[in-house]
Amino acid sequence: MSLPNLPLDGLSAIVTGAGRGLGRAEALELARLGASVVVNDYGQPGRDGTGESSATPAEEVAEEIRAAGGSAVAHHGDVSDFERARELIGLAVSAHGGLDILVNNAGILRDRMIFSMSESEWDSVIRVHLKGHFNTTHFASVHWRERSKAAGGPVYGRIVNTSSEAFLAGSAGQPNYAAAKGGIVGLTTSTALALAKYGVTANVICPRARTRMTEDVFAGFQEPEEGTLDLLAPEHVSPLVGYLASPAADGVNGQLFVVHGGMVAIVERPRVAAKFDTTKESFGYDELDALLTPHYASRPPNETFAAAEVLTLKKG
């Protein structure tokens, strides 16, 4: 799998949540492009019906990479645990001599309307998605900063984070998930600015893929015809991750992409739609009423900051 002259040849990568679905496809793609991969997924080896130890999904993906000629090791830690995240970065360094690429993908769903959501459903999703992204990014950034100081200049570093259209469009039944994914965008743009001088880029993708985690979300979407690639297949997403991890993407930093079904869309940063100045020293209620009420009366009644139109994006 790892051959000379491939774009990621000689580079080391971590993919979190890579035992199944989107993370698995990303790990396989990075390996196909030449990277040595640490396949992270939460869960310890169990026992099969004969009492023998059974392989975890992370180990199965790592073995799949090795069987194809690549280099991979498995890691079973929970990335929302600060110390397990430290161990994950350390494993990449000890197994492959360093870390060059970090793909944060691990996540869970606990969908419910805001008025029905429990504290634990909120906390668990924020912890795994947002804190998990922070934990690995923190230790990876320490690694790259130290390498840069030792080298006396920039080093090679790539971060690809995973947000969601739920953040962009405002998913009514996923307040925890949308909040976590919005936080990941803020984390990414902050990281992109902080680490640029060290040679590290950070970008974020909003993928749409049919996986075990999203099987209920996409239950109503059309299934693929026999012999054709599902428009929601993770394999539509993983090539963009491979590109963003590569030297070719050196000039791509702090960007947000929507990707699925043979389509990649670049989402622009928010722009100021209107500005009002007080005619006095400071605003009062009456002046704001006179300015803002007619402004919003002229706009579509259900238009919000959310960009629901991203949900209509498709190839063609």
Side-chain angles (χ1 to χ4, degrees), residues 100 140-141 144-145 148 154-159 191-202 250 252-253:
D100 304 294
S141 67
W144 286 319
R145 184 168 177 261
S148 177
V155 296
Y156 190 98
R158 298 285 187 267
I159 300 172
T191 302
L193 292 174
L195 299 186
K197 66 180 180 180
Y198 302 116
V200 179
T201 66
D250 188 60
V252 184
N253 193 30

Side-chain angles (χ1 to χ4, degrees), residues 99-316:
L99 174 65
D100 304 294
I101 300 159
L102 171 63
V103 180
N104 284 308
N105 170 75
I108 60 171
L109 289 179
R110 298 291 185 268
D111 293 352
R112 207 173 298 277
M113 300 294 282
I114 188 65
F115 42 77
S116 301
M117 183 162 289
S118 69
E119 181 182 17
S120 65
E121 288 167 336
W122 172 270
D123 288 348
S124 61
V125 169
I126 297 296
R127 185 184 71 251
V128 174
H129 287 274
L130 186 52
K131 188 184 177 188
H133 273 61
F134 161 74
N135 286 346
T136 55
T137 299
H138 167 74
F139 289 113
S141 67
V142 170
H143 171 72
W144 286 319
R145 184 168 177 261
E146 290 176 349
R147 276 176 50 191
S148 177
K149 285 185 174 182
V155 296
Y156 190 98
R158 298 285 187 267
I159 300 172
V160 182
N161 287 334
T162 307
S163 183
S164 170
E165 292 169 296
F167 151 68
L168 291 172
S171 180
Q174 298 180 302
N176 49 2
Y177 185 68
K181 291 305 190 182
I184 287 168
V185 174
L187 171 65
T188 305
T189 54
S190 174
T191 302
L193 292 174
L195 299 186
K197 66 180 180 180
Y198 302 116
V200 179
T201 66
N203 294 287
V204 61
I205 63 171
C206 294
R208 189 186 300 179
R210 198 191 309 271
T211 67
R212 188 180 66 160
M213 190 180 84
T214 62
E215 59 186 353
D216 292 334
V217 176
F218 297 128
F221 281 66
Q222 183 177 355
E223 295 284 346
E225 296 181 6
E226 187 174 352
T228 64
L229 183 63
D230 187 356
L231 286 174
L232 295 176
E235 288 74 18
H236 286 298
V237 176
S238 54
L240 176 61
V241 173
Y243 166 76
L244 293 174
S246 75
D250 188 60
V252 184
N253 193 30
Q255 302 299 309
L256 188 151
F257 301 86
V258 175
V259 54
H260 57 78
M263 178 218 75
V264 173
I266 301 170
V267 179
E268 279 197 318
R269 67 185 187 274
R271 298 186 180 275
V272 177
K275 175 179 174 290
F276 302 95
D277 296 321
T278 181
T279 59
K280 306 169 185 177
E281 184 177 358
S282 63
F283 275 114
Y285 171 85
D286 290 340
E287 190 177 19
L288 288 170
D289 178 27
L291 291 170
L292 297 181
T293 301
H295 172 77
Y296 282 103
S298 67
R299 295 169 69 94
N302 296 319
E303 184 180 80
T304 72
F305 186 78
E309 62 270 20
V310 299
L311 299 179
T312 66
L313 292 172
K314 62 181 181 179
K315 180 185 176 184

